[in-house]
Amino acid sequence: QVQLVESGGGLVQAGGSLRLSCAASGRTFSSYTMGWFRQAPGKEREFVAATTWSGVMTYYADSVKDRFTISRDNAKSTGYLQMNSLKPEDTAVYSCAAKSPYSSGNYSHPRAYNYWGQGTQVTVSS
């Protein structure tokens, strides 16, 4: 089992920044792909960013590329999502997820992930 807990969400004005954290426990975090997803009211959950176990390879949705940065600290079993230049359209519940190396599926698809945090609200005002 893997347990994930997000933190760092809140209210910020457009153009501001937030850093989300995802604390993991239960298994060897370093062996899992880590992803961030978000879901706004009335919309489907969408892919935001992901990184492999090494943290070297990173992937971003076009909508957040060059504004968000995903990283992980395997020694602390913690993942991060640094969000800069936030826009009102970034408002959503953000969730971190972990994908087992034995799980099939693409990193950008929510159904490929095995474990999920409960989410943290990010609200960006204009």
Side-chain angles (χ1 to χ4, degrees), residues 1-4 24-32 74 77 98 100-102 114-115:
Q1 293 183 322
V2 173
Q3 293 80 45
L4 305 173
S25 63
R27 283 188 174 180
T28 304
F29 179 68
S30 61
S31 66
Y32 287 75
N74 289 333
S77 296
S100 168
Y102 304 105
N114 307 96
Y115 305 100

Side-chain angles (χ1 to χ4, degrees), residues 1 8 10 23 46 48 54 69 75 83 98 116 124:
Q1 293 183 322
E46 65 175 348
V48 176
S54 68
T69 302
M83 305 184 295
W116 292 83
V124 185

